[in-house]
Amino acid sequence: MRTLFFILLLPIFCAAQAPVPEPRDRAAAAVRDLSQVLQQLLGEELRRGGYADAVKACSESAQVVTEEFGKERGLDIRRVSLKYRNPKDQPDDWEAAKLRLWALAPPGKQPADYIEIVTENGRRFLRYMKPIMVHGMCLACHGPPDNISSEVRDVLNIRYPRDKATGYKPGDLRGAFSVIVALPD
């Protein structure tokens, strides 16, 4: 798994050596690149062992991959949701407010990315959120509980006993990528 992680990230890490873009562009590029890495990881696990193995891989690897990716890029990046599966994905107050605002959008309509400059503890940060929408393939793990296979449900119950991330339909807002970029003083 670790070798796969580095092989998947190598082209993205090498691209990080280019001149440093503006904070907004850094945040958007990080979300784009991390999304690709996580989709590749998920795709590999689906091909190797199906949805139950993909849930196992997500629970074991997705957080680590995301944290390492953020360190490599020099920013704070994570996935958040009001209906989180992993407690580490619980949004902070700022993120929760944006997610609740996005949830008011018409069903199936993807909200626009959100960017704001904030000051916290005397330091300025760019905060960026990009919505994550539910697609058909997401339903095998995030759809209505009665429609999730017993094998996947069993893994979810073991890995995420307080899971809130089911009951979605295609086009629903699943959550967001959230990025914090420290700005120069």
Side-chain angles (χ1 to χ4, degrees):
M1 178 61 72
R2 195 142 181 88
T3 303
L4 174 64
F5 165 72
F6 287 113
I7 290 171
L8 290 174
L9 292 181
L10 185 60
I12 293 168
F13 286 159
C14 291
Q17 303 304 316
V20 178
E22 293 297 318
R24 176 187 177 138
D25 295 336
R26 278 183 66 206
V31 166
R32 180 195 64 231
D33 295 346
L34 177 59
S35 177
Q36 289 175 349
V37 168
L38 293 174
Q39 286 176 17
Q40 287 175 344
L41 177 66
L42 179 62
E44 271 301 308
E45 292 305 322
L46 284 172
R47 282 187 290 282
R48 202 182 340 251
Y51 284 100
D53 282 358
V55 171
K56 291 174 189 172
C58 280
S59 70
E60 295 168 358
S61 303
Q63 291 292 337
V64 173
V65 168
T66 301
E67 288 169 15
E68 291 297 320
F69 187 91
K71 286 178 190 172
E72 179 65 31
R73 293 285 176 105
L75 45 78
D76 180 11
I77 186 169
R78 63 196 199 111
R79 293 170 299 150
V80 297
S81 178
L82 295 172
K83 290 174 56 177
Y84 53 89
R85 177 160 280 164
N86 186 321
K88 290 182 177 183
D89 296 335
Q90 183 174 2
D92 64 22
D93 291 342
W94 186 89
E95 293 161 334
K98 303 315 171 247
L99 289 167
R100 283 193 294 275
L101 181 65
W102 282 348
L104 300 175
K109 180 166 175 28
Q110 180 168 329
D113 299 3
Y114 189 87
I115 299 167
E116 184 177 343
I117 304 294
V118 300
T119 302
E120 298 171 2
N121 300 320
R123 298 241 12 239
R124 288 177 1 119
F125 299 92
L126 177 133
R127 297 213 55 180
Y128 172 83
M129 285 181 57
K130 180 170 186 66
I132 300 171
M133 305 303 286
V134 174
H135 300 284
M137 74 174 288
C138 305
L139 300 178
C141 300
H142 292 286
D146 293 344
N147 294 350
I148 297 173
S149 75
S150 60
E151 183 184 22
V152 170
R153 254 195 332 266
D154 290 346
V155 175
L156 288 172
N157 288 335
I158 291 167
R159 304 275 173 152
Y160 303 106
R162 292 187 175 92
D163 184 15
K164 299 178 182 183
T166 60
Y168 289 101
K169 302 179 303 294
D172 283 350
L173 175 68
R174 168 72 185 93
F177 283 97
S178 179
V179 182
I180 300 174
V181 180
L183 299 175
D185 292 329

